[in-house]
Amino acid sequence: MGAYLLDWLSLFFRWFHVIAGVAWIGASFYFVWLDMSLQKPPEWKAKKGISGDLWAVHGGGFYEIAKYKLEPEEMPKTLHWFKWEAYTTWLTGMAMLIIVYYINATAYLIDPSKVDFGSSVGAISTSLLFLFGSYFIYEVIVRSNVGKNKLAFSITIFVLMIIATWGSYQLFSDRASFIHVGAILGTIMAGNVFFGIMPAQRALVDCVRRGVKPGPEVADLALMARNRSLMNNYFTLPLIFIMISNHYPMMYSHAHGWLILVFIGVITATARHYFNEKHLGRHRPKFLVIPAIATVLLIIWMRPAPIEPLPVSPIKTPAVTEVAPTDTPPAAVTQDTNTVAPATATEADPNAVAGGTAATDEVIAVAPSADNAIMKVVEAKCSVCHAAQPTQAGFNAPPAGIIIQTPADIKTHQAKIVTAVQSGYMPLGNITQLSDEERQQLVAYASGL
């Protein structure tokens, strides 16, 4: 019952996480585009303090948009704030982290082959320290002199994100490692809104309401808010990729998964830079060509090694023996003596047929040694989850409804098994500790069926 309720909670928070994320990303993309697309206003608008304006057509109507350098002439009666998209995305994301990775820490968060935390509490504590510790370091840097230099700040954050990505792979399961990097990015983005963008906006609004001219401090806050917003813009595409990455184990379960994530971050951020430049009227195709070439090279580098199918012995049936007809019925050994007693063909073998040919109604399968060895691995490492009634804690039904308990089941789900096992997607978080040798044997065996 507990696992059933967790599934519903996971569905609920995942749905709202996607809705909030789409709203946040949409607003982020729109305002970055808007800020970079503003044109020099006419003189009469400039005298009112407008720094740029934009005309647009959408939904059958014209829109006139203006941005003030600092404050408008008077505070508007209705002022829309953009903050809950960010807060809701972060809160639902944390809820998903708790439901999926903390409550089922042994299945999804911990990989004993990397770090044996000894308990879920130790793993969860490490996860929280890793997440909020990374954000604290970011906040210290962004508020320092380094944060005022765009180039130095960008390089510093890039290097620290590489370290964080590598570090997550040393601590947690492969799948959880990707999610932790995404959680760091999401926390930084939400923190940029909460600790940077909103304070600047409140200070500006407060000055306008009091009729006070915004001073240098408010201007500095506004500039910091703009820089933080731009940072969020570059983080957006890598974060979207990480949000959907759990559907692609070939990424996070790769032997160099952390390095792949770094490359993906560079590729997506560079592509985002192309659009930012385009919004400024600078068409630079190289910022699309370079990511495209890098993606092709990444695909080539990640290609899996060819599978060599393991020879599987054919299923054998007992040989049919021709028995020469005689007038003497076959002998039978009585149970209570060592004497041999005659018996009719029917008495000796009910499956015997007239004419003396031994036959059987059933084909008796003689499992070859390869089958026996593989099935022992399957029973210990796969069937605990992929059974009609899973015995593994946290599973109330076989994942994806796939049952794997017999060689016939393996053949039925051959393609899925080969892909999932070879990529490292299964077992989830390697909860049953399937060794590399067993993994190779299982892939080879399934490929040969």
Side-chain angles (χ1 to χ4, degrees), residues 197-215:
I197 297 172
M198 292 307 299
Q201 293 178 173
R202 291 192 188 99
L204 183 60
V205 169
D206 182 62
C207 287
V208 176
R209 281 177 176 167
R210 292 187 292 113
V212 178
K213 185 73 174 178

Side-chain angles (χ1 to χ4, degrees), residues 40-53 67-69 71-73 213:
K40 185 178 179 180
E43 187 63 26
W44 68 272
K45 284 188 176 181
K47 289 180 179 180
K48 297 176 64 175
I50 294 176
S51 62
D53 66 355
K67 179 183 179 181
Y68 286 80
K69 187 174 183 180
E71 80 284 1
E73 298 171 302
K213 185 73 174 178

Side-chain angles (χ1 to χ4, degrees), residues 105-117 123 168-177 424 427-434 439:
T106 55
Y108 297 104
L109 180 63
I110 301 172
D111 184 347
S113 65
K114 295 181 178 180
V115 177
D116 187 3
F117 289 100
S168 69
Y169 260 80
Q170 312 313 307
L171 295 171
F172 310 113
S173 70
D174 294 344
R175 180 177 174 181
S177 298
L428 286 172
N430 204 18
I431 187 174
T432 57
Q433 293 301 289
L434 185 68
R439 191 178 299 277

